[in-house]
Amino acid sequence: MNAALRQILTKKYDMELLAKGILSRQIRIYGIAFQGKHVLVDGGCPEQLHTVY
């Protein structure tokens, strides 16, 4: 899960949205992982996640 969120932040996928004028606080980033029959979801806004990952 952490690796997925780290990749999203490292690749800066939110930059295209920011360039179009969308505010960072309006963007949400989600990492989804499957573990057998379970689904794990984590995420938040980029500003919060940069301090964690």
Side-chain angles (χ1 to χ4, degrees), residues 11-45:
K11 301 268 184 181
K12 300 183 180 187
Y13 292 126
D14 58 339
M15 295 307 288
E16 185 177 341
L17 297 172
L18 293 169
K20 291 182 178 186
I22 297 173
L23 300 175
S24 180
R25 68 175 183 263
Q26 295 174 301
I27 299 172
R28 298 294 177 264
I29 295 174
Y30 296 99
I32 301 170
F34 298 93
Q35 185 178 23
K37 294 183 178 184
H38 300 282
V39 178
L40 307 171
V41 180
D42 193 9
C45 68

